[in-house]
Each structure stands twice: as structure tokens, then as C-alpha cells.
Amino acid sequence: MTFPVVGMVGGGQLARMTHEAGIPLGIRFRLLSDGPQDSAAQVVNDVVVGDYRDLDTLRRFAQGCDVITFDHEHVPTEHLRTLEADGIPVRPGPDALVHAQDKGVMRARLGELGIPAPRNRIVSGPEDVAAFAREGAPEGGDGFPVVLKTVRGGYDGKGVWIVRGADDPNAAEPFKAGVAVLAEEKVDFARELAANVVRSPHGQAVAYPVVESIQVEGVCDTVIAPAPGLSEEAAVHAQQLALRIAHELGVVGHLAVELFETRDGRVLVNELAMRPHNSGHWTQDGAVTSQFANHVRAVLDLPLGDPRCRARWTVMANVLGGDYPDMYSAYLHCMARDPQLKIHMYGKGVKPGRKVGHVNVYGDDLADLRERAAHAAGYLRGTITK
């Protein structure tokens, strides 16, 4: 029996964990990685080191793969169209993926579909930013603050600026890169949510419970599944919104829809990611079928697995690098203190603020789970010493 080969473009932790999910199924992976020490390159047997932006490299890599998928959204759209013309299935395809690559394209399409989102438009310079702010200003106000985003690139707070007034230096900063800039109203939100869904080529789709995502300085710190205090009506609405986006954009694989829950109870779409996502890492231990396993199933057009929770609550906390590089020595304390703790490390060098792993805990007592997850992540980082 011949098992399929999944070609994964990108060698980060998402590729590493997706490969792990395919091992029990006997799925073979081929990896296009920037370097031999990338997170996934350390564990995948078949690794091609090369530049995903080079078409010839990408085409050579794709030879022998049954399907191509990604752990990031940065492969040039025109290259993906060439792979499709070569007869290689690309999932998600370029027509879908462009909405995760380009925030301007994404906002325009969601606007056409009537999907609720922050007020936005492409701006050409600081004066245009001020004009955009005035357009949404209440009587007697100037419309600031405003959020500026480069339409391509940017993640974990990078490529994003908060402009607090017409004279704010940040109003000019994004335009120095020479790329298009999107202006958005700064939403007065109560919290951030995420709706994760997976869709297969023949249209089967599953929705995970909606989660609360807690950010610290623009980086995801903690995810709580399901989102506490979210009504069933609001949760179903968010899931249906994500499923509709996946259908309308033709997404195949995992789609993360990052959301704002406003103080008046509305849900607005913030960002899209068409790959496994940090807000779904809890599913490794807290769901019947993880986001990674369902992404593998989807790109191979296999029946999708059950997305339901294994326990009442699951809490994920990211482990960030700090000034304490020897994380392995912290295992003794963390594992002895909490035998139910699940630790997932990425094989990455420790640098301050860098995501190097995460921990999951699940059970019935949410306050206890949050304390245990925060303690383990802090102890591994070195900010907690007892």
C-alpha cells in the first residue's frame, strides 16, 4: 500500500506539529525549509533546504508530492498558480490564500460578503490617515486612535502601528517600507476571540469551540477553550461566521478567524490565517481531534475528525524565551508539580520574547487551570523560580 506524501512549505513549529499529527496515519511528509535546524527540519526525514520564493526551487520540491500545504502564508501567489498548472494540488489554493496574504484583499472581499469588520480602507500617507480618522469621528472628535497595518507580512504585533493623533510619528512610519497600508478604526473591544474551522475539498467542514485569546504586547499569551461567559447564541454565530468565510473563500484545510467581541456584544472579524494557528494549539490535548490532525485529513480529502472538547475547560499558555536558556532543567519542577501538564517544545533556540513552546492543561476548574498553565509557562521561561 502506498501512502501519500504531503509537501509542507515552511519549517516552523506549525509544520513540526502537523507532521507529528500525520505519523499515526502513516502519512509521509516532505519539507521545504529555510535551514536544516528549523523546528520541523529537526524531525522530518525528507527535508529540502531552499527558498520558497524561488519558483524553480518550489517546483523541484513539489515533484513527488501528492499535495502541497503550508505553515505560513508567504509563498508568492503566482508561484502557487504555476504549481496548480503543473498538476500539483495546492491546499489552500492561491485564490483562497491571497485573503490571508493581503489584508487589503481580505477586507475588500469580506466587505462584499457583508461580514462584520472594523471600519477600514487603504491609505496613501499621513494626511490620508487623518482624513480616514475624521470620516469616523464622533461630533467634536478627531477620530483617533487609528490602527495602521502593512497589507502584506506582519504577525505577532509586527507591521502594526497605533496612531494616536495627526502629529503622531507612527502616522508616517508604515509608509517608509513602500508597501500598501491599511487603516482601521481602533475597536473598543471587550476581549479577543478565535473561531477555528477545518474544511475539506468536497465541502465537509467542522468547527471547534470558540476560544478566548489573551494577548500581551501583541503576542498571544493564553488561550481558554471554550471562551468563558460566551453565550451559546454568540458562540454558534461566530462558528457560522467562520464556516461561511471558509466556504465563500474556498478554503481547504484549517482556517483561524480572529475576532473582536465589542463591549456592546457584536463580533467583528480581525484577521484570517489559513493554516494551523496558535489559538488552536489547545486542541492537541483538549479536543478529540487536533487542529493539526484535521488539517492533514482535510488536505488529503479524508473524513474529518471530531472537534469537540475532551474536558470542560482547556487552557494553553505560550512559553516565550527569556534570560534563562536551559529550559530542560525546569522539567523536573514542572512535571513533579503538575503530572497532568502537557509540554510541547519546538526545538528552537531561546531568545527573549520568542515563542519556543506551549503548555496545555485541561479539567473542570478554570481558575486552577489558568494558574497551573501560567506557572508552568513562567517557570520554563525563568520568570517564576518556585
Side-chain angles (χ1 to χ4, degrees), residues 118-120 132-133 136 143-149 160-164 183-189 260 262-263 266 268:
R119 186 176 66 87
N120 65 87
F132 170 80
F144 288 100
V146 167
V147 180
L148 299 184
K149 301 178 179 179
V160 178
W161 294 264
I162 306 297
V163 180
R164 303 194 180 280
E184 295 184 348
E185 66 172 311
K186 189 173 186 303
V187 177
D188 182 24
F189 59 88
F260 292 131
T262 66
R263 299 191 187 281
R266 293 174 296 137
L268 305 178

Side-chain angles (χ1 to χ4, degrees), residues 112-269:
E112 292 172 359
L113 295 172
I115 302 293
R119 186 176 66 87
N120 65 87
R121 71 171 169 86
I122 300 294
V123 288
S124 58
E127 292 183 358
D128 202 15
V129 173
F132 170 80
R134 288 194 299 271
E135 290 167 8
E139 186 175 349
D142 61 4
F144 288 100
V146 167
V147 180
L148 299 184
K149 301 178 179 179
T150 54
V151 296
R152 285 183 175 260
Y155 63 94
D156 287 347
K158 300 178 179 67
V160 178
W161 294 264
I162 306 297
V163 180
R164 303 194 180 280
D167 297 329
D168 190 329
N170 280 344
E173 194 66 29
F175 301 96
K176 295 179 180 178
V179 298
V181 175
L182 179 73
E184 295 184 348
E185 66 172 311
K186 189 173 186 303
V187 177
D188 182 24
F189 59 88
R191 59 177 173 174
E192 294 186 61
L193 304 172
N196 290 281
V197 299
V198 183
R199 182 175 178 272
S200 67
H202 71 273
Q204 183 191 9
V206 296
Y208 287 93
V210 178
V211 301
E212 179 176 353
S213 177
I214 300 169
Q215 314 291 312
V216 176
E217 296 181 354
V219 178
C220 178
D221 180 84
T222 304
V223 171
I224 304 172
L230 187 66
S231 69
E232 182 177 358
E233 180 182 8
V236 170
H237 170 68
Q239 290 174 314
Q240 290 176 336
L241 196 65
L243 288 168
R244 182 184 172 211
I245 292 171
H247 171 75
E248 294 284 0
L249 302 188
V251 177
V252 171
H254 184 272
L255 170 69
V257 181
E258 298 181 69
L259 303 162
F260 292 131
E261 183 184 22
T262 66
R263 299 191 187 281
D264 58 4
R266 293 174 296 137
V267 172
L268 305 178
V269 173

Side-chain angles (χ1 to χ4, degrees), residues 245-302:
I245 292 171
H247 171 75
E248 294 284 0
L249 302 188
V251 177
V252 171
H254 184 272
L255 170 69
V257 181
E258 298 181 69
L259 303 162
F260 292 131
E261 183 184 22
T262 66
R263 299 191 187 281
D264 58 4
R266 293 174 296 137
V267 172
L268 305 178
V269 173
N270 180 25
E271 301 277 3
L272 302 180
M274 295 181 192
R275 50 172 170 75
H277 191 258
N278 204 168
S279 65
H281 288 359
W282 69 273
T283 63
Q284 282 179 297
D285 303 297
V288 176
T289 311
S290 76
Q291 66 166 343
F292 303 102
N294 262 335
H295 185 75
V296 171
R297 292 187 186 201
V299 301
L300 293 172
D301 207 9
L302 294 169

Side-chain angles (χ1 to χ4, degrees), residues 23-84:
I23 291 173
L25 302 177
I27 305 302
R28 296 167 55 201
F29 274 74
R30 192 171 195 221
L31 185 73
L32 180 59
S33 180
D34 290 338
Q37 292 305 311
D38 283 354
S39 179
Q42 299 171 29
V43 297
V44 175
N45 181 55
D46 186 359
V47 179
V48 175
V49 174
D51 187 347
Y52 61 84
R53 294 164 295 189
D54 179 73
L55 178 57
D56 290 338
T57 298
L58 200 60
R59 294 177 84 176
R60 286 194 299 270
F61 165 76
Q63 293 175 6
C65 294
D66 293 285
V67 64
I68 299 294
T69 190
F70 316 92
D71 93 333
H72 60 71
E73 292 103 343
H74 306 314
V75 181
T77 307
E78 61 272 19
H79 291 2
L80 301 181
R81 297 196 190 284
T82 299
L83 292 184
E84 288 191 325

Side-chain angles (χ1 to χ4, degrees), residues 297-379:
R297 292 187 186 201
V299 301
L300 293 172
D301 207 9
L302 294 169
L304 301 180
D306 191 336
R308 288 178 296 180
C309 296
R310 291 181 180 272
R312 182 179 179 187
W313 302 105
T314 301
V315 176
M316 184 227 64
N318 275 322
V319 177
L320 303 183
D323 298 324
Y324 181 64
D326 184 15
M327 290 189 172
Y328 180 73
S329 65
Y331 281 9
L332 181 65
H333 169 85
C334 290
M335 292 177 177
R337 183 179 189 268
D338 191 348
Q340 294 181 327
L341 178 74
K342 305 295 185 180
I343 300 175
H344 300 271
M345 301 301 288
Y346 306 152
K348 296 164 70 172
V350 176
K351 297 179 181 179
R354 185 187 200 184
K355 290 180 187 175
V356 294
H358 66 272
V359 298
N360 286 329
V361 288
Y362 54 89
D364 295 328
D365 187 332
L366 180 56
D368 174 65
L369 296 173
R370 294 191 65 173
E371 187 280 326
R372 286 160 54 197
H375 181 277
Y379 198 91

